[in-house]
Amino acid sequence: QAQLVESGGGLVQAGGSLRLSCAASGRTFSRYPMGWFRQAPGKEREFVAAINWSGDITYYADSVKGRFSISRGNAKNPVHLQMNSLKPEDTAVYYCAARTFTTRAATAPDEYDYWGQGTRVTVSS
């Protein structure tokens, strides 16, 4: 039973930073493309960042470019998301996800087949 579990969320003031991690169990995700998505109250789930199998190619939503950085980790924690210069509009539940059937990164939620349960990020003004 493969599983992803996000961690690192919490309450932070605007302008602060958080580093999200995604812990894997049941199988190795370290060489699968992975992504981060978020869902704010009353909003649809949206793409945040993605990284390919080797870590050489990354994608970011326009809203987080220059502030967030996605990176590969290891078998225990295959992906991280460094979040800097946080804004109140970044408040959401953040999900990590994996694609196990390809080496390419993707930006659409339906391209991912494994998901964590989310970690809550609240940015105060």
Side-chain angles (χ1 to χ4, degrees):
Q1 67 288 17
Q3 185 171 276
L4 298 172
V5 179
E6 302 90 340
S7 64
L11 175 64
V12 64
Q13 287 188 307
S17 298
L18 287 172
R19 188 170 193 254
L20 306 184
S21 295
C22 184
S25 62
R27 69 186 296 175
T28 299
F29 290 86
S30 59
R31 306 305 285 178
Y32 291 137
M34 301 196 73
W36 288 93
F37 297 80
R38 67 187 182 188
Q39 187 165 20
K43 302 287 187 178
E44 293 186 351
R45 183 171 53 184
E46 66 175 353
F47 168 75
V48 176
I51 191 165
N52 74 334
W53 71 281
S54 65
D56 295 330
I57 301 174
T58 58
Y59 300 91
Y60 296 94
D62 288 342
S63 59
V64 306
K65 284 181 180 177
R67 300 189 298 119
F68 291 9
S69 179
I70 189 171
S71 60
R72 304 299 322 208
N74 52 37
K76 179 64 176 178
N77 293 281
V79 68
H80 304 274
L81 184 68
Q82 180 66 45
M83 308 165 66
N84 298 324
S85 301
L86 284 162
K87 304 175 180 179
E89 52 263 44
D90 295 319
T91 295
V93 175
Y94 283 71
Y95 301 88
C96 68
R99 309 181 77 198
T100 64
F101 48 85
T102 182
T103 60
R104 297 185 295 274
T107 60
D110 60 7
E111 297 281 359
Y112 291 81
D113 55 316
Y114 281 88
W115 292 83
Q117 295 300 305
T119 185
R120 190 175 302 275
V121 172
T122 303
V123 184
S124 65
S125 59

